[in-house]
Amino acid sequence: MATALAAYWYFSPYLAIRKLHAAAEAGDLGTINEHVDYARLRASLKAQLGDAMAGSMRETEGHPLASAGAAVGRMMIAGVVEALVQPPVLMYSIRTGLARPRPAGAPPPAAGASPEAPATAKARGRSPMWRAERLGANRVVFHPVDGQRDDSAGLVLDRYGFATWKLTGMQLHLPSSRPAGAGS
């Protein structure tokens, strides 16, 4: 009994990511909402984007409009994060294995085109594969895998209680950004 309980505890984040993916595929908003801590997810994204902006603002120190630009940037970040951290966007990100940025020099999608899903197993008719990165006993980052190691993005799940996991962050790997969930 103790071994089965320990195995369930250890594998519970894998069950959680599968449940999130199944809910995203089915369009099950109730399950998505149950397994996402929206406040922590928004805070994580705002912190990462704010750090990236602060890093780029260091290059303009001393410029007379730098502080005004920083204030506008912070307001824009807050608005963008509020608009994007919504169940339909999260379901798309989970379903496709996360939307990845276009490679440098790649042409933008045609006007009116829907965002392209990454070339994952999903495009071949299977669910995306996930690689888990354990960050202690209470945090796991799931990275989408496309036949190669890809640390460009990740879903951060934190433990709530014995074996309940919630999405609390997205790891973006932006220039000058702190690790996902830092400050939460």
Side-chain angles (χ1 to χ4, degrees):
M1 178 65 170
T3 304
L5 198 58
Y8 177 71
W9 179 87
Y10 182 81
F11 289 107
S12 60
Y14 300 95
L15 298 173
I17 195 72
R18 286 180 57 128
K19 191 170 192 174
L20 272 169
H21 185 265
E25 286 286 328
D28 182 354
L29 289 175
T31 300
I32 293 290
N33 290 336
E34 182 181 319
H35 289 89
V36 177
D37 184 332
Y38 286 100
R40 288 185 62 194
L41 177 58
R42 286 184 182 105
S44 169
L45 290 172
K46 287 176 186 176
Q48 289 178 79
L49 293 170
D51 285 352
M53 184 189 71
S56 67
M57 293 298 292
R58 282 188 211 102
E59 300 167 8
T60 62
E61 276 184 29
H63 191 278
L65 297 176
S67 62
V72 169
R74 281 190 296 274
M75 288 188 304
M76 287 178 60
I77 287 171
V80 167
V81 168
E82 291 298 322
L84 290 178
V85 178
Q86 300 294 326
V89 177
L90 291 175
M91 287 192 302
Y92 175 81
S93 296
I94 295 166
R95 189 173 48 247
T96 62
L98 294 174
R100 297 183 189 153
R102 281 192 322 272
S114 62
E116 259 186 63
T120 63
K122 175 71 177 161
R124 295 185 298 274
R126 296 190 326 253
S127 298
M129 301 295 294
W130 300 92
R131 178 183 57 80
E133 175 187 3
R134 285 191 174 265
L135 303 175
N138 298 318
R139 177 168 283 174
V140 177
V141 180
F142 285 96
H143 300 277
V145 177
D146 183 18
Q148 60 192 13
R149 186 179 175 117
D150 180 6
D151 290 331
S152 65
L155 299 175
V156 180
L157 275 67
D158 283 340
R159 182 185 309 279
Y160 283 66
F162 175 70
T164 301
W165 293 82
K166 289 190 177 187
L167 177 64
T168 60
M170 287 182 149
Q171 198 173 61
L172 300 177
H173 289 290
L174 298 170
S176 303
S177 68
R178 71 178 102 185
S184 26

